[in-house]
Amino acid sequence: MSRFIIEGGKKLEGEMRVSGAKNSVLPILAATVLNGSLNVIHDIPNLSDVKVMTGILESVGCHVKREGNTMIVDSSELDNHEIPEHLVREMRSSIIILGAILSRCGKIKISYPGGCEIGPRPIDLHLKSLREMGTKIEEKHGYLICEAKQLKGCEIQLDFPSVGATENSILAAVFAEGTTIIRNAAREPEILDLENFLNAMGGKVSGAGSATVYIEGVKKLHSVEHRIIPDRIVAGTYLAAAAATKGKVTLSNVIPEHIQSVIYKLREAGCNITCSNQSVQLVSPTKLKAIDSIRTLPYPGFPTDMQSQMMALMTMGDGISVFAENIFENRYKHAEELIRMGANIKVDGRVAIIRGVPKLTGATVSAKDLRGGAALIIAGLAAEGTTIIENAKHVDRGYDDIHEVLQQVGAQITKV
């Protein structure tokens, strides 16, 4: 079992490059099954979730080759619509293959997904949308068996702007007969990236990034080459780490517009941040201010995927910060680990109250999920003494060799 070992108290100083976005890569890799042709995708991060998705693609007959940060997927010989259960259980977002395989094959058999334990993430919105497009869905022994000889375009009204349900609906609608309209769609930048990828291979998708997405069904698609957008959560994590260590960093390969809600809160904490076209520079204050309130909301609100990291930062803020988690109901598992390092945190349901302390101290802690693990790294970098973070595998799901990136800007962190 892998772990991170951190000697805290080192300022982060220098330049860090942000990798391609995990939450773009996975739906785009799923979309490669649609064209029955070559897909060349650049800036693919080296993540365990990407390896799981690669395994899923290979299991249905795709040929996948990786050359550095470029992946080549040939889906011309796709010959299977049953997804191996062990792969689906490793990664909750594997459910994104559902709409793509259904669209290409007219049927799919897939088990219910697994992943981080951060509270229920039901897929009922995904299934409801697919049923409205004409899919027959049976649920047997933990499996979903979906079939649709010809999906029909329709109007879909999502009860909640779910990212996964929006993406699955788009993927399913690419070959559907007529036009599909998705209302109350999620507006995350990764959905716009998926739209750009599909349109580059001949799809007709518009409106991604707004609350209404239109998909006009097409008969066929062709080969495509695409570059993944930068990961806004990785960017936010690096900025929080620099702020926690009283450091000064410049991020390259970043789209500042995608992290405005995070930048706003970091400025509220006293950080000096300047943005240019593809870079962001942060200079940390000598003493962080508490942030009155952070409420997680769908994009463009404050991202739930940055709540843990900002909480780690606010454990050292001067005053009291209040967090309200509005997306997932069980996303404060990192709080008990931060308390082991000296943090003063009180959790009551979806609300957490953090009273800043003068310093954190190193301890042996455990990553319970992906972003919680990143929060513990931030805390360890700022803490006095040695921090050991067990279950590093969770962090590997969303960060491309984070220890090596941090080492380049002065962190004393190793992975064993």
Side-chain angles (χ1 to χ4, degrees):
M1 189 177 291
S2 57
R3 57 172 64 174
F4 293 107
I5 300 173
I6 304 170
E7 295 297 329
K10 314 291 183 188
K11 285 186 180 182
L12 300 191
E13 294 182 323
E15 185 169 315
M16 312 165 84
R17 185 185 185 276
V18 176
S19 57
K22 165 188 179 281
N23 290 337
S24 266
V25 169
L26 300 178
I28 282 173
L29 285 177
T32 62
V33 307
L34 290 169
N35 62 0
S37 189
L38 276 180
N39 301 265
V40 181
I41 308 165
H42 302 293
D43 215 358
I44 300 253
N46 183 27
L47 309 175
S48 56
D49 273 12
V50 171
K51 290 172 185 170
V52 173
M53 185 57 82
T54 299
I56 289 172
L57 292 174
E58 290 174 337
S59 76
V60 296
C62 297
H63 297 282
V64 184
K65 182 168 69 171
R66 182 158 189 154
E67 298 175 352
N69 288 334
T70 295
M71 194 172 280
I72 301 159
V73 182
D74 181 354
S75 60
S76 60
E77 295 182 20
L78 186 141
D79 59 0
N80 182 24
H81 66 275
E82 296 189 13
I83 313 302
E85 181 181 11
H86 71 278
L87 291 173
V88 179
R89 290 198 172 277
E90 279 188 52
M91 181 179 72
R92 192 174 292 263
S93 48
S94 58
I95 198 66
I96 201 64
I97 200 74
L98 175 56
I101 293 288
L102 184 65
S103 189
R104 169 81 186 269
C105 301
K107 55 187 174 182
I108 182 172
K109 181 180 178 183
I110 186 170
S111 72
Y112 277 91
C116 280
E117 295 179 6
I118 57 174
R121 287 188 275 181
I123 60 169
D124 55 331
L125 291 181
H126 303 236
L127 303 182
K128 182 181 177 186
S129 299
L130 295 175
R131 282 193 178 101
E132 289 176 5
M133 297 173 71
T135 306
K136 292 179 183 175
I137 301 174
E138 282 187 90
E139 300 178 44
K140 287 184 178 177
H141 311 296
Y143 281 89
L144 293 166
I145 301 164
C146 308
E147 191 166 344
K149 290 181 179 177
Q150 175 61 64
L151 290 163
K152 306 285 187 183
C154 66
E155 293 197 23
I156 296 168
Q157 176 75 35
L158 294 177
D159 296 330
F160 176 83
S162 158
V163 174
T166 301
E167 291 168 340
N168 251 331
S169 301
I170 291 171
L171 292 169
V174 168
F175 290 136
E177 194 176 273
T179 299
T180 301
I181 302 171
I182 306 168
R183 303 192 192 280
N184 196 30
R187 294 187 280 168
E188 274 71 3
E190 294 81 13
I191 294 170
L192 179 56
D193 205 22
L194 177 62
E195 174 187 289
N196 290 336
F197 178 76
L198 291 170
N199 289 346
M201 64 161 75
K204 293 185 177 179
V205 186
S206 61
S210 74
T212 308
V213 180
Y214 301 86
I215 309 99
E216 186 181 331
V218 298
K219 298 293 186 186
K220 63 178 182 178
L221 299 167
H222 51 72
S223 297
V224 63
E225 186 169 0
H226 181 78
R227 180 172 295 278
I228 299 292
I229 61 170
D231 195 312
R232 60 197 170 94
I233 306 303
V234 169
T237 301
Y238 290 166
L239 292 175
T245 62
K246 300 180 174 56
K248 176 183 177 181
V249 300
T250 300
L251 303 188
S252 62
N253 190 44
V254 62
I255 301 174
E257 181 186 348
H258 291 175
I259 56 170
Q260 280 305 309
S261 62
V262 176
I263 288 172
Y264 180 81
K265 291 299 178 184
L266 287 169
R267 282 178 174 153
E268 197 176 319
C271 298
N272 187 327
I273 300 176
T274 53
C275 303
S276 64
N277 187 29
Q278 288 264 307
S279 70
V280 174
Q281 184 186 72
L282 178 143
V283 180
S284 179
T286 54
K287 182 66 178 174
L288 290 163
K289 300 175 190 172
I291 296 171
D292 288 343
S293 173
I294 287 183
R295 298 173 58 84
T296 64
L297 292 166
Y299 188 87
F302 191 89
T304 181
D305 279 355
M306 275 301 300
Q307 175 258 106
S308 309
Q309 301 91 310
M310 288 299 288
M311 184 179 290
L313 187 63
M314 285 301 97
T315 61
M316 297 166 281
D318 185 13
I320 295 173
S321 303
V322 179
F323 283 64
E325 174 54 64
N326 296 306
I327 309 298
F328 296 119
E329 67 183 44
N330 193 18
R331 203 160 198 182
Y332 288 139
K333 288 189 174 183
H334 52 282
E336 60 192 71
E337 303 301 306
L338 291 170
I339 290 168
R340 291 171 65 87
M341 300 177 70
N344 185 339
I345 303 170
K346 298 288 188 293
V347 175
D348 183 6
R350 290 178 178 261
V351 175
I353 299 169
I354 299 92
R355 187 183 296 273
V357 296
K359 67 177 181 181
L360 299 176
T361 53
T364 298
V365 291
S366 177
K368 305 292 177 66
D369 58 67
L370 165 55
R371 305 305 175 184
L376 295 177
I377 289 175
I378 291 169
L381 292 171
E384 195 175 83
T386 304
T387 298
I388 297 171
I389 303 171
E390 309 278 7
N391 290 319
K393 64 178 184 179
H394 287 301
V395 180
D396 295 339
R397 290 188 46 240
Y399 295 89
D400 189 342
D401 293 326
I402 189 171
H403 57 295
E404 293 182 2
V405 176
L406 292 169
Q407 284 167 6
Q408 291 168 8
V409 290
Q412 202 167 326
I413 176 173
T414 55
K415 184 180 172 190
V416 295

